[in-house]
Amino acid sequence: MTTIQHAAANLPERSHLTAAQGDPFGNARAQLRDAVTILGYDDGMYELLANPRRELTVAVPLHRDSGEMELLIGHRVQHNVSRGPAKGGLRYSPDVTLDEVRALAMWMTWKCALLDVPYGGAKGGIRIDPRHYSCSELERVTRRYTSEISPLIGPDHDIPAPDVGTDEQTMAWIMDTYSVQKGHTVLGVSTGKPVSLGGSLGRATSTSRGVVHVALAALRSRGIQPEGATAAVQGFGKVGRHAARFLHDAGVRIVTVSDQYGAIRADGGLDIAVLEGHVDATGSVTGFADADPTSNDNLLAADVDLLVPAAVEGVIHVGNAMQVKATVVVEGANGPTTPEADRLLNAAGTLVVPDILANAGGVIVSYFEWVQANQAYWWGADEVETRLAKRMLTAWEHVSTHAEKLQVPLRTAATCLAVERVAQAALLRGLYP
């Protein structure tokens, strides 16, 4: 059984936490429009950057273990390849839509450019709830999807990585399926693989480590020392769980966390190691003996120094933004704050560290994995972590300095820096023919 399956069969139904609110693609385009206006580009450049370079929707037939046949729908979107091969995760979720994948691909383009990683942005998704499928069924889905999108992917074209609902095993299946088609092993076709199959040390926790590097810097920029600071972490999956642990290790008191089933709170601070054991045993943070139940709404409105939304898109919106009391919001998820909510938070003096900066640790170490695979030479964990920290903190300094210079929010500064780099690459390359 892989980690993308929940063993507990008696878990409650998913809460509204999993349902993205608003229009993620519209939000992404609105952010781009603001940056294009500030940078002085014309409508032609906006249209070039607002629309995906390529997108593919595929039918993924599956023979269930029961013998029944089921048809699933998958997508792969390459937003931009001006700066290098497309790069982006693959998510398995019942909430996957083409517009969501388009938005995530665009955000990946800006993320790679901002962190000066030589990639363009891509994203993939299959509309499936992996908890309701066996490991062998998920393997068949992954291999068929890989076969369908194989004309678009490759180490020099488009490199998938794990995302919501997928893991290192998924990436191993992708690598093997693609390699069988090519007739030889191609380790660089996917990242986030098991270390024994060409994965990089530190990749599994890289997004969370990046979030924490930036979160600690953001707290200090507001005169808040991490030791004794308080935090709320929304989402206890790939990103939120490790972020909570690393924040706890840095001295931050985690007072409330949530997952797709509910939320818990302990004003004296949660023992993250004990909570992780509870989640491993039950599949959820709910029912943790050393905390009281609360709601996701209460978590977002918690009176804490730091809020880390690390679940899905659109959870901070115009209806709840004014209830956010955190001094610093660090976006562990992609697109957790709608543009309207972002404006309200900025007007209220909340420091919002945008997703394209905050959660870029994953793509940075994916890049490291790709480089190592191409060289057939692997780095030690300390080297990976040192390089990751340097990249994240350098980007933080660039963005915060640019924001201060332009007197704009961090998101605007980050998006402008990223869009300018992509636009410059497009202009230098020119149009063909």
Side-chain angles (χ1 to χ4, degrees):
M1 179 174 292
T2 74
T3 56
I4 56 179
Q5 296 169 279
H6 288 280
N10 60 345
L11 289 174
E13 288 299 310
R14 296 181 302 149
S15 74
H16 68 280
L17 172 62
T18 58
Q21 302 186 42
D23 172 14
F25 191 44
N27 294 343
R29 289 166 69 99
Q31 293 165 5
L32 171 62
R33 173 62 77 181
D34 289 343
V36 164
T37 300
I38 292 171
L39 292 167
Y41 294 129
D42 59 20
D43 286 344
M45 179 59 74
Y46 169 77
E47 292 297 336
L48 178 67
L49 299 179
N51 292 285
R53 178 70 173 268
R54 300 183 188 91
E55 54 187 41
L56 179 64
T57 296
V58 297
V60 184
L62 166 68
H63 275 294
R64 300 294 303 265
D65 293 340
S66 64
E68 297 175 311
M69 196 274 282
E70 180 178 349
L71 187 67
L72 304 167
I73 299 298
H75 309 286
R76 188 69 185 176
V77 173
Q78 296 174 353
H79 171 255
N80 190 280
V81 293
S82 293
R83 300 184 72 253
K87 186 79 182 76
L90 169 64
R91 65 175 47 184
Y92 288 177
S93 166
D95 301 316
V96 164
T97 66
L98 181 55
D99 269 356
E100 177 195 47
V101 176
R102 288 166 170 159
L104 294 166
M106 184 184 293
W107 285 322
M108 276 298 301
T109 297
W110 312 144
K111 192 179 302 183
C112 293
L114 183 65
L115 275 295
D116 200 22
V117 172
Y119 289 140
K123 206 73 177 185
I126 300 177
R127 198 173 306 129
I128 183 176
D129 189 337
R131 299 168 306 159
H132 300 157
Y133 294 77
S134 70
C135 183
S136 58
E137 288 172 333
L138 292 171
E139 179 177 0
R140 293 196 290 275
V141 166
T142 302
R143 290 185 182 277
R144 182 58 182 256
Y145 171 79
T146 303
S147 179
E148 293 291 341
I149 69 166
S150 61
L152 292 188
I153 64 174
D156 299 318
H157 301 90
D158 182 352
I159 307 107
D163 197 85
V164 174
T166 58
D167 61 7
E168 63 178 19
Q169 177 62 76
T170 317
M171 296 305 109
W173 289 330
I174 289 175
M175 186 275 289
D176 181 69
T177 305
Y178 183 85
S179 296
V180 168
Q181 290 184 349
K182 295 299 181 182
H184 60 94
T185 299
V186 186
L187 294 178
V189 70
S190 63
T191 60
K193 302 182 298 298
V195 173
S196 59
L197 286 178
S200 175
L201 294 171
R203 174 60 183 87
T205 60
S206 56
T207 302
S208 305
R209 286 195 181 276
V211 166
V212 173
H213 285 310
V214 171
L216 299 180
L219 286 172
R220 292 188 180 103
S221 77
R222 286 298 176 100
I224 302 171
Q225 293 304 311
E227 299 79 6
T230 55
V233 179
Q234 185 214 31
F236 207 72
K238 283 189 185 71
V239 178
R241 173 172 175 163
H242 297 302
R245 187 200 319 146
F246 298 146
L247 286 168
H248 180 269
D249 292 345
V252 177
R253 177 158 47 98
I254 313 297
V255 297
T256 178
V257 302
S258 67
D259 61 15
Q260 58 188 329
Y261 305 107
I264 58 173
R265 178 166 185 141
D267 290 339
L270 293 161
D271 187 323
I272 300 301
V274 177
L275 176 59
E276 287 185 299
H278 170 80
V279 171
D280 289 339
T282 68
S284 174
V285 301
T286 60
F288 184 51
D290 297 330
D292 297 318
T294 186
S295 68
N296 186 63
D297 290 338
N298 288 338
L299 180 148
L300 293 172
D303 189 4
V304 292
D305 298 307
L306 171 66
L307 170 62
V308 180
V312 293
E313 305 91 46
V315 295
I316 303 176
H317 48 83
V318 70
N320 64 9
M322 295 308 297
Q323 299 170 14
V324 174
K325 300 182 183 67
T327 304
V328 176
V329 176
V330 177
E331 295 183 333
N334 290 310
T337 310
T338 67
E340 296 83 1
D342 202 36
R343 284 189 282 271
L344 291 172
L345 291 174
N346 288 318
T350 305
L351 181 65
V352 180
V353 183
D355 46 6
I356 62 171
L357 169 60
N359 65 31
V363 74
I364 291 172
V365 179
S366 281
Y367 168 57
F368 294 166
E369 179 179 333
W370 180 74
V371 169
Q372 293 170 81
N374 288 339
Q375 295 177 336
Y377 181 81
W378 278 262
W379 308 338
D382 289 345
E383 183 174 3
V384 171
E385 168 55 20
T386 299
R387 289 174 181 264
L388 170 62
K390 182 178 180 180
R391 288 244 181 181
M392 292 300 301
L393 294 175
T394 298
W396 159 258
E397 290 296 331
H398 285 167
V399 172
S400 55
T401 299
H402 201 57
E404 185 175 352
K405 176 182 176 182
L406 298 181
Q407 290 297 293
V408 295
L410 291 176
R411 188 186 313 280
T412 304
T415 306
C416 284
L417 283 170
V419 169
E420 186 174 30
R421 288 174 180 174
V422 176
Q424 285 177 345
L427 291 170
L428 287 169
R429 292 181 64 150
L431 298 179
Y432 177 80

